[in-house]
Amino acid sequence: MESPTSSSFAGQKRKIVDMSSDEEDARPPTGFRGFARASSRSESPPSFGLGSARRNPWNNNMQSATAASRGGNANTSKPITGGGNSFAARMMAKMGYKEGQGLGASGQGIVTPIEAQARPTGAGLGAVREKTKQAREEEKRQAAARGEVVEDSSDEERRRRRKKKEERQRESRSGTGTPVPRAKPRFRTAREIEADMDGLEVPNVLKSLIDATGKEQRVLTSTAGLMTPLEFVNQGEGEALKIARRARHDLEAFADEWKGLTERKKFAELEEAQIVEQLDTNQLKTDQLTDLITAIGQLEIFEEDSTLARFDELTSKLESIEMKYRGEIDEYRLSETAVAAIHPLFRQAMEDWDPLQEPTFLVSNLRRLQPLLSRKKNDEAVSRQATSPYETMIYTLWLPRVRSALINDWDVYDPSPATSLIVSWKEILPNFVFANVLDQLVVPKLSGGLKEWKPRSSSRRHPSSHQGSRSPWWLFTWLQYLDERHTNPRQPTGLLSDAKKKFREILKSWDLRKGLISGIELWRDALGSEFDVTLRNSLLPRLASHLRDDFEVNPQDQDLTALEDILKWKGFFRPNVLGLLLVAEFFPKWHKILYIWLTNDPNFEEVGEWFTWWRTQIPAEINELAVVDDEWNKGLQQMDLASRLDDPATELPVPNVAAQSAPAEDVPRAAPEAPAPSRKPKVVEEIAFKDILESWCMEQGLIILPLREAHPQNGQPLFRITASATGKGGVVAFVQGDVVWVQNKKAKDIWEPMGLEDRLVERAEGK
C-alpha cells in the first residue's frame, strides 16, 4: 500500500513547464520511493560529508516522511543529523562541532547536507530549477552571515515583473484614468463665411436665416446652439429647424467648394507661369546652343596655311567663345571642345618644334586660352581621380618632345636653353608635368654633370662654361626651380649636398699662393650657412699650416707673401677667427725674433719702427681684437723691460708664448722655462682637428665612438667611425696631426693614413 506522500504523484502526467517552484521542491525527482528504516535498527553514519556519495539523501527524507505517515516513531519527524550516538557524530563532537551550526572553524560552512535533485527522464538543462530550495536557503544564510543580501534569481524577478504588469492592467481597466475630452463643433454664420471666402457672393435669402427653435421667430445671427436637440417644438417649428439646418449645410458646402476651386485656380495660374518661364528659358538656350554650334563649326575653317597662323586664328576664335559663353563653360563642357579643336594643330606643331631653339613656341597662345583650357570645377579642385583633357594633351604631346630634347640635345654645362624653356612654360604646365620634367629629366642630367665635373682640373673641357671657374655655376642656376631636397646642403642626399663635397675637394687641393678661388662668391650664395662651416673645417687648417710652414719673420729681408695669402681670405672669415689664427701661428714667430733682437745689443729706435710697421701690416679690425692687442702689448713690455735692464742678453726672460721650439743656437741657455711649452701647440692642434673630424662625420652621417683604448705604440686614444646606428662595424682610427690613421681590417698592426675624403666614408660604411 502506497503512502499518502507518494500518492499525490502517482498516475499523474503534468507538463514540466506548469510546475511551480514549490512543487519542484516538494516532489521527488523520480518515481522511485525508498524503504523505511527499521525502528529497532541503529542508524548508520550519514551519507553526506564523509565520503559515502552513493547514498541519496532524498531517500532518507522519503523514509522519514513515510514513517511519519504510517504513525511510526516520533523521532523520525526531526531533521536527520546523523544521530547523536553514531560514530561520525561522536568524532565530530570531539573536534568541536555543535549540532545546528555550520561546518568549519568559524561555522561558515553548510548546516544541512547537500541535497541532490534529479531531472525527469528526457528533460534537458533548464527544464527544472537546478538549485533546490535547501541550497537557496543555505546561500541566503551564508550571505546574511557576511552582511550581504542575495538577489533573487532571474525567474523570480521575471515573475515579480509579470505580477506588477498585471496589477497595472487591472488598474487601467478600473476606469480611474482621465477621459479624453471630445472636441466641440464650431459653427459659422453666413456673414463669417462670406468674409472668409473672398469672391464668394452669398444670396440674401441665406443671410437672413430664420431661427424657428424658440417661441418667437428671429433672424439667425449666430449658429451657436443650432444643433441642440429640442423636443418641445411643434411640427411647424421642426420643419423650420430642418430648413435652417439644410441651408447651413448647403452654405458651408458651397463655401468649401469655392475655397477649393480658388486654391486650384491659384495653383494652375502659378504652374502656367512656371511653364511659360521654362519655355522662354528653353527657347533662349536653344538659340544660344544654335549660335554656339555655329561658332564651333567655324573653328574648322582657316584662312591661312601655316601652322602658327592657323593656331593664332584658332586662338582668337576660342577667346571669343570664352568671352561670350563664360557662364556656360562648365555646363556645355567647352574646355573639352577647345582641347579637341586645338589637338590636331598642336600635334602637328610639336612634330616640327625644337624646344631648345624655340623655347617660347606657342606659349602666348596657350597662356591666352588658360581661362578656357585649365578651368576647374569646385569639387575638382579638392580631389580629382583623372587628368583633364588639356593635361592629357600636354602629357602625351608636349612632354615626349621635351624629354627627347633634354636627354639628347641639351648640354648640361650650358643651362640657358633649358632654363628659358622651363621659365616660359612653367605657368601653363600642369603641376605634375612640371614636377616630372624637373625630377625625371633635369635633376638626373645635373647629377650626371656634377659627377663628371672635376674641380681640380681646368674647365677647358667644357667650352660653354666660364674659363677658370672653380664653381658649378650651371648647377646654381637651377636651384631656384628645385625643391628643398636638392637646395638644402644639410640634406644627406641631393644636388647641393653633392656640390658641397666637391667644394671641400677644391678647398683641400687649392694652391693658397694663387689667392682666392674663382667663383667663391657663388659658393657662398649657394651654400649659405654651410659655407662658413665648410671653410672652417676644410680651409682653416690649411691656412694655419701655410702660415706655420711657409712664413718667417725676418727684419732684414721680410717676405709677406704667405701672410698676404692668409689675409686675402679675411672677407670670408670673421675677424676673431683670423685673430686666433695669428695668435697661434704668427705671434710666436714674431715674439721669438723680437726676443733675439732685444738680447743682441739692439737699436731701440729701429726696434720701435719695426714694431710700428708690423702693426700697420695687420688689418685694423683684427688689431682691435683683445687677443691680438694683448700680443702687441706683450711685445711693448718686452721692449720696455729690455731698455731698463743693464744686460738684456742674460737678464731678459724668454717670452711665455705657445710657439714652436726654436733652434738650439737661437735660444739662450739662461731661460730654463723655454723647452716646457714646446709641446703645447701640438696638443691644441690635435684637439682642434678632432672637433673638425667630429663635424665632418656629422655631415656625412657617420658616428664617432670612443673605445676607451690607446694605441700600443704612440698612446693615442682610439675611436670607431661607423655608419651603423648600433655602433658596430666601421673602422678603428686615431688622430695624429691633420691625419686620421685607420686600422687595416686584415692586418690589425698596420695603420694607414687617410684624410677627410670619400674613401674614409666608404671604409666606415663597410664597402
Side-chain angles (χ1 to χ4, degrees):
M1 180 176 180
E2 294 183 354
S3 62
T5 306
S6 61
S7 63
S8 61
F9 301 102
Q12 296 184 7
K13 293 183 179 180
R14 299 174 60 187
K15 293 184 180 180
I16 298 174
V17 296
D18 296 334
M19 295 192 305
S20 63
S21 60
D22 297 336
E23 291 174 347
E24 292 174 352
D25 297 336
R27 60 161 289 183
T30 61
F32 176 76
R33 178 167 54 88
F35 296 94
R37 187 185 303 271
S39 59
S40 60
R41 186 179 177 182
S42 63
E43 294 182 350
S44 60
S47 61
F48 53 87
L50 296 177
S52 57
R54 298 179 184 178
R55 288 186 174 271
N56 191 349
W58 177 258
N59 295 337
N60 298 334
N61 297 337
M62 290 299 299
Q63 291 172 6
S64 301
T66 304
S69 64
R70 294 179 180 181
N73 192 359
N75 295 333
T76 59
S77 62
K78 299 180 180 180
I80 299 175
T81 59
N85 298 326
S86 65
F87 173 78
R90 292 194 301 270
M91 184 175 63
M92 293 177 64
K94 290 181 181 180
M95 295 181 182
Y97 173 75
K98 295 180 180 181
E99 188 175 358
Q101 294 182 354
L103 298 177
S106 58
Q108 75 277 9
I110 62 176
V111 177
T112 58
I114 299 175
E115 182 181 4
Q117 178 171 339
R119 291 189 295 275
T121 304
L125 292 176
V128 297
R129 188 180 302 279
E130 298 296 334
K131 285 187 178 182
T132 62
K133 183 177 181 181
Q134 176 187 355
R136 292 196 297 272
E137 291 178 353
E138 182 65 28
E139 288 182 358
K140 293 180 179 179
R141 187 192 67 81
Q142 293 183 2
R146 295 191 302 267
E148 301 176 356
V149 178
V150 177
E151 296 182 357
D152 294 337
S153 63
S154 59
D155 293 338
E156 294 177 355
E157 181 68 21
R158 191 180 304 108
R159 191 182 302 110
R160 186 162 51 252
R161 289 197 301 267
R162 190 184 302 111
K163 185 177 180 181
K164 291 182 179 179
K165 182 177 180 181
E166 292 175 357
E167 292 177 356
R168 289 195 300 269
Q169 291 177 354
R170 286 194 300 269
E171 291 177 358
S172 62
R173 288 194 296 267
S174 63
T176 58
T178 303
V180 179
R182 300 178 61 181
K184 295 182 179 180
R186 180 178 179 273
F187 303 100
R188 294 176 296 174
T189 63
R191 297 184 182 278
E192 291 176 350
I193 294 176
E194 185 179 17
D196 293 340
M197 308 304 170
D198 187 17
L200 176 65
E201 296 182 1
V202 181
N204 294 329
V205 66
L206 296 180
K207 292 183 181 179
S208 57
L209 296 178
I210 304 301
D211 184 5
T213 58
K215 295 181 179 181
E216 298 178 359
Q217 295 183 350
R218 294 172 298 179
V219 178
L220 185 64
T221 59
S222 175
T223 57
L226 190 62
M227 298 298 294
T228 304
L230 299 176
E231 298 179 356
F232 57 87
V233 297
N234 53 26
Q235 183 177 3
E237 293 175 347
E239 293 296 332
L241 180 62
K242 292 180 182 179
I243 294 173
R245 291 179 179 176
R246 179 64 178 270
R248 179 179 60 80
H249 289 306
D250 292 343
L251 180 59
E252 290 187 351
F254 291 150
D256 293 340
E257 184 66 19
W258 178 266
K259 182 178 181 180
L261 292 176
T262 304
E263 293 178 352
R264 290 178 59 186
K265 179 182 178 181
K266 292 181 180 179
F267 177 77
E269 292 176 352
L270 179 62
E271 190 176 14
E272 180 184 4
Q274 293 179 351
I275 293 175
V276 172
E277 183 181 0
Q278 185 66 30
L279 289 176
D280 295 341
T281 303
N282 293 340
Q283 183 62 36
L284 292 176
K285 285 187 173 295
T286 302
D287 298 340
Q288 190 180 51
L289 286 174
T290 303
D291 297 340
L292 180 60
I293 292 173
T294 303
I296 293 176
Q298 295 294 326
L299 297 177
E300 300 179 355
I301 302 175
F302 300 102
E303 298 179 358
E304 303 293 338
D305 295 334
S306 64
T307 303
L308 185 58
R310 288 188 173 187
F311 213 96
D312 293 338
E313 186 177 352
L314 180 61
T315 302
S316 301
K317 294 179 180 179
L318 288 176
E319 278 185 321
S320 301
I321 294 176
E322 191 271 333
M323 295 177 61
K324 187 175 181 180
Y325 303 96
R326 181 168 298 174
E328 293 81 14
I329 292 179
D330 297 334
E331 181 181 358
Y332 298 150
R333 303 171 68 177
L334 295 182
S335 299
E336 301 179 11
T337 304
V339 174
I342 291 175
H343 192 277
L345 290 178
F346 191 77
R347 179 177 56 188
Q348 184 179 358
M350 290 296 102
E351 293 177 356
D352 302 331
W353 178 46
D354 187 354
L356 299 179
Q357 298 297 330
E358 299 177 278
T360 61
F361 181 65
L362 298 181
V363 171
S364 60
N365 301 83
L366 294 179
R367 185 178 289 112
R368 291 161 55 188
L369 297 177
Q370 282 305 299
L372 182 61
L373 298 177
S374 298
R375 188 178 182 86
K376 296 181 180 179
K377 300 179 181 179
N378 296 332
D379 56 346
E380 190 178 7
V382 179
S383 176
R384 188 177 54 188
Q385 298 180 355
T387 59
S388 64
Y390 173 72
E391 293 173 344
T392 304
M393 182 184 69
I394 293 295
Y395 185 80
T396 56
L397 299 180
W398 182 88
L399 186 58
R401 189 70 191 92
V402 174
R403 179 185 293 111
S404 176
L406 292 179
I407 294 177
N408 301 323
D409 303 332
W410 176 42
D411 182 10
V412 70
Y413 302 106
D414 185 14
S416 57
T419 53
S420 300
L421 177 67
I422 295 299
V423 171
S424 301
W425 286 82
K426 181 179 180 180
E427 297 180 357
I428 59 178
L429 287 179
N431 294 331
F432 73 95
V433 175
F434 183 76
N436 185 285
V437 172
L438 293 180
D439 296 338
Q440 304 297 330
L441 302 178
V442 176
V443 170
K445 194 84 171 182
L446 293 175
S447 180
L450 187 61
K451 291 181 180 179
E452 295 179 1
W453 180 63
K454 303 298 181 181
R456 297 184 181 182
S457 60
S458 174
S459 59
R460 297 177 182 176
R461 295 174 52 187
H462 309 292
S464 59
S465 61
H466 293 174
Q467 281 289 344
S469 176
R470 292 284 176 169
S471 64
W473 60 272
W474 42 270
L475 172 64
F476 299 155
T477 307
W478 287 98
L479 296 180
Q480 56 184 325
Y481 309 110
L482 303 179
D483 55 9
E484 186 181 3
R485 185 170 66 89
H486 297 290
T487 58
N488 188 359
R490 296 184 179 181
Q491 294 287 343
T493 59
L495 290 176
L496 203 54
S497 178
D498 297 338
K500 186 176 67 173
K501 297 177 182 179
K502 297 285 186 178
F503 183 54
R504 286 200 298 263
E505 294 180 8
I506 295 175
L507 295 177
K508 293 176 183 179
S509 61
W510 180 248
D511 187 1
L512 298 178
R513 292 173 295 182
K514 296 181 178 180
L516 297 178
I517 300 175
S518 59
I520 189 67
E521 295 82 3
L522 297 178
W523 283 107
R524 179 171 57 186
D525 296 340
L527 297 179
S529 61
E530 288 296 308
F531 176 79
D532 298 334
V533 178
T534 307
L535 285 184
R536 186 176 64 251
N537 296 340
S538 301
L539 181 62
L540 189 59
R542 297 193 64 235
L543 294 178
S545 178
H546 181 55
L547 191 60
R548 180 174 58 251
D549 299 336
D550 300 334
F551 175 74
E552 294 294 339
V553 178
N554 187 359
Q556 297 180 358
D557 186 12
Q558 184 62 55
D559 185 9
L560 298 177
T561 303
L563 182 61
E564 291 174 352
D565 295 339
I566 304 301
L567 296 178
K568 289 178 181 178
W569 293 89
K570 67 178 181 178
F572 301 94
F573 288 100
R574 288 179 294 180
N576 61 335
V577 176
L578 291 181
L580 294 175
L581 177 63
L582 294 179
V583 170
E585 303 298 342
F586 166 74
F587 279 104
K589 297 181 178 182
W590 186 84
H591 284 298
K592 173 186 173 182
I593 298 302
L594 178 61
Y595 175 78
I596 296 174
W597 198 348
L598 294 177
T599 55
N600 288 277
D601 193 14
N603 185 348
F604 289 99
E605 293 183 0
E606 294 180 357
V607 175
E609 293 177 358
W610 180 74
F611 176 84
T612 304
W613 179 81
W614 265 116
R615 291 203 66 160
T616 59
Q617 300 304 312
I618 306 300
E621 60 271 17
I622 298 178
N623 283 329
E624 293 175 356
L625 297 174
V627 291
V628 177
D629 189 61
D630 291 342
E631 297 296 330
W632 294 124
N633 291 333
K634 289 179 182 179
L636 289 175
Q637 293 173 3
Q638 286 287 98
M639 295 167 56
D640 181 66
L641 181 59
S643 63
R644 289 186 284 104
L645 293 176
D646 297 333
D647 187 6
T650 57
E651 298 178 4
L652 184 65
V654 178
N656 187 14
V657 293
Q660 293 180 341
S661 58
E665 62 272 14
D666 295 337
V667 180
R669 297 181 181 179
E673 67 276 12
S678 60
R679 299 181 61 182
K680 291 184 179 179
K682 185 175 183 180
V683 177
V684 175
E685 180 184 344
E686 290 180 2
I687 295 175
F689 185 73
K690 179 69 176 300
D691 297 338
I692 294 173
L693 177 61
E694 291 178 354
S695 301
W696 180 81
C697 291
M698 186 179 299
E699 294 175 1
Q700 301 297 328
L702 304 178
I703 302 175
I704 179 169
L705 301 174
L707 297 180
R708 297 184 180 180
E709 299 178 5
H711 192 272
Q713 282 78 24
N714 55 26
Q716 295 290 342
L718 300 180
F719 50 87
R720 183 183 300 277
I721 301 177
T722 178
S724 175
T726 60
K728 299 181 180 180
V731 293
V732 179
F734 69 90
V735 175
Q736 189 172 17
D738 291 346
V739 181
V740 179
W741 294 83
V742 179
Q743 187 181 34
N744 193 305
K745 290 186 177 182
K746 296 181 179 180
K748 301 296 184 180
D749 55 343
I750 298 177
W751 298 82
E752 303 172 351
M754 193 171 298
L756 304 182
E757 54 191 14
D758 296 339
R759 183 184 173 191
L760 180 57
V761 178
E762 295 176 357
R763 291 286 299 274
E765 294 175 351
K767 298 181 180 179

